[in-house]
Amino acid sequence: MSVLKLRFAFLNHCVKLKSVPKTSTYSFTSRPLSASCVTLSPLSPEVVPPPHKIQRPRRALLYVPGHDERKINKLRTLDVDCVALDCEDGVSLDKKEDARNTIHKLYEETASTFHGELCVRVNSPSSGFCESDIENIFSMSTLPPTVIVPKIDSIQDITWFCEMMNEKSRTILGRPTKHLFNIIFMTESSKGLINLKKIIEAGISACSPRFSCCHIAGIIFGSDDFCANLGIMRSKDASELIYARQKIVATCKAFGLQAIDMVYIDFKDNDGLEKQSLEGARIGFTGKQVIHPNQIPIVQNSFTPSEELLKWAEELTEAFENSTEGAFTFRGQMIDLPTVLQAKNIKLFSNFIKKT
């Protein structure tokens, strides 16, 4: 067997196990659309990312105000990967308590009828509301799989949040919970962007104790607050945000995290939405935030491998299995390991979407 195929077999074995040998000095990173399934990269000396685990798709993330019962009751009719019941920007100051109470009351029934992932977005650590939001989550009979926390600007922000989650797990439940929350935090300022690598490392460290109830799963780009923080005037093509978007993607992928792209605020402009969604997928984002149900099909299609791409991936992997050489020719192109891994990942991601 060639060296190339031996390397591929080893990597494929690790992905199937959804874990990395303890002696390995490499990280395994999921890249659903635009890059390879597994990336070999030296680890940071400060923090070792957790073993890679293929996450459920979050191609579209829809926000629904937590106090709006009518909109929450409509969720069962929507075909969307992920919904966040919102306690933050979608809720005015005088409705924060209403939002907590409504989410507490409706979450279990809504989660049982909604086929996607039902998350909760809490208020930021600096808001003064976050601790009450966390207490409300732990008092619910059904715990959400994912908690989204906004405006993470520093190591202190993410450390406080993760430690507060662990503390409330012990004090409210009276024991360490076996439930493991996915934590997705939002980068929404110049400070958050500059500190992003250190924030991720601090979050991983804060979630590393044996009885931690959470782990870092992804990052969302909060572009509106980011523009306000930098004094940026938004343009139609969002060219002024390309650096921030690319840095978020690159940093996420270095740690095996999902990267969820910015909102397209003109919800009546379907052509512009599709263009920006496809651009985000090409950059390496794994999904996109949406603010209106009409945006869901366009966004999810943009982050889904096409039938043509899936056919290419299937034929290429078959050709690889039948090849006796390390590198081989396929459709007039010379193919080596990175392209094979990309094709395999497209197949895995497509199958995962069908299962969900």
Side-chain angles (χ1 to χ4, degrees):
M1 183 181 291
S2 69
V3 173
L4 179 66
K5 287 195 174 182
L6 282 170
R7 287 183 63 202
F8 181 82
F10 169 72
L11 296 175
N12 189 44
H13 173 68
C14 289
V15 171
K16 285 181 178 178
L17 291 177
K18 298 184 180 178
S19 64
V20 183
K22 292 182 179 179
T23 56
S24 174
T25 57
Y26 298 100
S27 60
F28 292 79
T29 305
S30 175
R31 301 194 175 186
L33 285 177
S34 57
S36 63
C37 167
V38 180
T39 297
L40 293 178
S41 57
L43 292 179
S44 164
E46 297 91 357
V47 174
V48 178
H52 170 62
K53 181 178 180 180
I54 297 176
Q55 296 193 50
R56 65 175 301 147
R58 298 183 180 98
R59 294 168 296 171
L61 166 58
L62 173 69
Y63 295 106
V64 176
H67 65 291
D68 196 327
E69 290 195 33
R70 181 182 62 85
K71 290 181 180 178
I72 293 174
N73 288 329
K74 285 186 175 181
L75 292 180
R76 64 184 66 129
T77 67
L78 299 181
D79 182 16
V80 59
D81 285 349
C82 186
V83 167
L85 301 180
D86 195 14
C87 292
E88 199 224 3
D89 282 350
V91 180
S92 61
L93 290 177
D94 63 330
K95 297 289 185 182
K96 297 293 187 183
E97 189 63 29
D98 289 345
R100 293 189 199 103
N101 293 336
T102 302
I103 292 172
H104 190 283
K105 180 178 70 173
L106 298 180
Y107 186 88
E108 183 173 17
E109 179 182 356
T110 305
S112 67
T113 57
F114 174 61
H115 87 282
E117 181 184 35
L118 192 61
C119 313
V120 175
R121 178 164 74 165
V122 299
N123 287 279
S124 67
S126 61
S127 67
F129 299 111
C130 189
E131 185 173 353
S132 296
D133 294 338
I134 294 173
E135 290 172 349
N136 184 61
I137 287 172
F138 279 104
S139 68
M140 289 159 47
S141 57
T142 299
L143 299 177
T146 299
V147 178
I148 297 171
V149 55
K151 297 178 176 61
I152 297 297
D153 294 333
S154 66
I155 290 173
Q156 291 75 20
D157 287 341
I158 194 64
T159 301
W160 179 90
F161 179 79
C162 294
E163 289 180 350
M164 184 59 65
M165 288 286 290
N166 288 328
E167 178 186 329
K168 297 303 179 183
S169 170
R170 294 189 296 270
T171 58
I172 296 177
L173 298 180
R175 66 188 189 285
T177 177
K178 293 182 180 179
H179 183 88
L180 187 65
F181 294 92
N182 301 302
I183 303 300
I184 300 179
F185 70 85
M186 300 185 69
T187 296
E188 305 183 70
S189 70
S190 56
K191 186 178 178 182
L193 187 68
I194 290 172
N195 293 331
L196 189 56
K197 175 178 176 288
K198 292 180 179 179
I199 292 171
I200 294 172
E201 291 176 336
I204 292 172
S205 293
C207 295
S208 62
R210 179 182 176 187
F211 294 113
S212 177
C213 69
C214 51
H215 74 105
I216 306 299
I219 298 173
I220 297 170
F221 180 36
S223 58
D224 289 341
D225 283 278
F226 184 83
C227 287
N229 178 252
L230 273 68
I232 293 174
M233 296 297 293
R234 290 282 291 269
S235 65
K236 194 74 171 176
D237 65 1
S239 57
E240 64 279 357
L241 295 174
I242 191 65
Y243 165 72
R245 294 168 76 198
Q246 289 179 329
K247 179 169 182 177
I248 287 171
V249 167
T251 311
C252 281
K253 299 307 174 74
F255 289 90
L257 307 179
Q258 288 188 340
I260 300 176
D261 202 5
M262 59 190 184
V263 167
Y264 191 77
I265 58 177
D266 187 353
F267 63 87
K268 293 184 179 180
D269 179 12
N270 291 339
D271 292 338
L273 173 65
E274 183 176 36
K275 181 179 179 181
Q276 191 179 92
S277 299
L278 291 171
E279 177 188 65
R282 287 194 297 271
I283 290 173
F285 280 100
T286 55
K288 188 175 184 65
Q289 302 164 86
V290 297
I291 54 174
H292 194 280
N294 290 344
Q295 293 181 317
I296 294 169
I298 294 173
V299 169
Q300 295 205 155
N301 286 338
S302 297
F303 287 90
T304 302
S306 65
E307 290 297 324
E308 180 181 2
L309 184 62
L310 182 57
K311 182 180 179 182
W312 169 86
E314 290 172 342
E315 292 180 355
L316 187 148
T317 51
E318 182 179 358
F320 171 76
E321 295 298 332
N322 294 330
S323 173
T324 58
E325 303 295 329
F328 62 98
T329 302
F330 177 74
R331 295 186 181 180
Q333 295 182 332
M334 186 62 68
I335 304 299
D336 58 7
L337 179 62
T339 309
V340 174
L341 293 173
Q342 180 183 22
K344 187 172 183 63
N345 190 56
I346 290 169
K347 291 174 60 179
L348 287 170
F349 186 65
S350 181
N351 290 335
F352 203 82
I353 290 172
K354 291 175 182 177
K355 290 178 181 178
T356 58

